[in-house]
Every structure is written in structure tokens, then in C-alpha cells.
Amino acid sequence: FELTPMSIAALEQILGWGVARIAGFLHAVTTQIADRLGDAGFAPTPQQLRSPHMLGLRVPEPKQPDIIRTLESANCYAALRGSSLRIAPHLHTTTADVDRLIDTLAAM
């Protein structure tokens, strides 16, 4: 394994931002998504079982076949794992991105 200048710069940036601050930001995003989509019939993984950077949502069975295609058409990307949608926001995720995801799923 060789550290390149780009990977070193990335690690320095992460250390500069602080792992706890990054986790806190992502936790706020995943919590907002879970809270808002829970009301739309998607069952989020309980808070105590989640990591800050990833969220699982149980997808109602009738929505499962079309969910990935529907999300991609709205420029939202997630993965369906069994009957759960895996959502992993990034630091560049904006409020508009979250709103688009929620609006798309709630409209299904």
C-alpha cells in the first residue's frame, strides 16, 4: 500500500475537519432523512443501531421494484439491500439534495 500525495492530502483534510465533526454532520443528515421518511411509510433503522454516516430504511414491498429507477431519475443514488434502502450521504450533501430525496420517495 502506497500513500500518494493525494491520499495524504485527503487524510490531512479529514484530520483538520475532525472525525467527530464529520460524524456529527452526517448524523444530523441521516437523522433528518429518517425522521421525515418515517412519516411517509419508510421504516428507518432504530437510532441506537445506526452509524452516523449511513441509514437503512425498510421499503414497503410494493415500492421495492421501482425504487432505484425512481431515485436515479431524480439524481438520487442509494442501494437496495433486500427490502432495505441503504442511504449514505456525503459531506457535500445539501439541504436541496435531502429535500429531493424525501420528495421523490414520499411521492412513490
Side-chain angles (χ1 to χ4, degrees), residues 27 44-51:
H27 172 76
T45 302
Q47 179 70 42
Q48 67 272 19
L49 299 177
R50 283 187 239 159
S51 60

Side-chain angles (χ1 to χ4, degrees), residues 38-106:
D39 296 337
F42 294 86
T45 302
Q47 179 70 42
Q48 67 272 19
L49 299 177
R50 283 187 239 159
S51 60
H53 68 287
M54 192 172 295
L55 172 65
L57 294 168
R58 178 86 48 204
V59 179
E61 192 171 330
K63 298 178 183 188
Q64 292 174 18
D66 297 322
I67 197 162
I68 296 301
R69 184 176 49 249
T70 300
L71 287 171
E72 287 176 354
S73 71
N75 202 27
C76 296
Y77 298 91
L80 188 63
R81 298 290 186 255
S83 62
S84 293
L85 190 64
R86 185 181 71 187
I87 299 171
H90 295 268
L91 289 175
H92 57 75
T93 300
T94 66
T95 301
D97 295 330
V98 172
D99 289 343
R100 188 173 61 254
L101 171 71
I102 300 216
D103 292 345
T104 301
L105 290 174

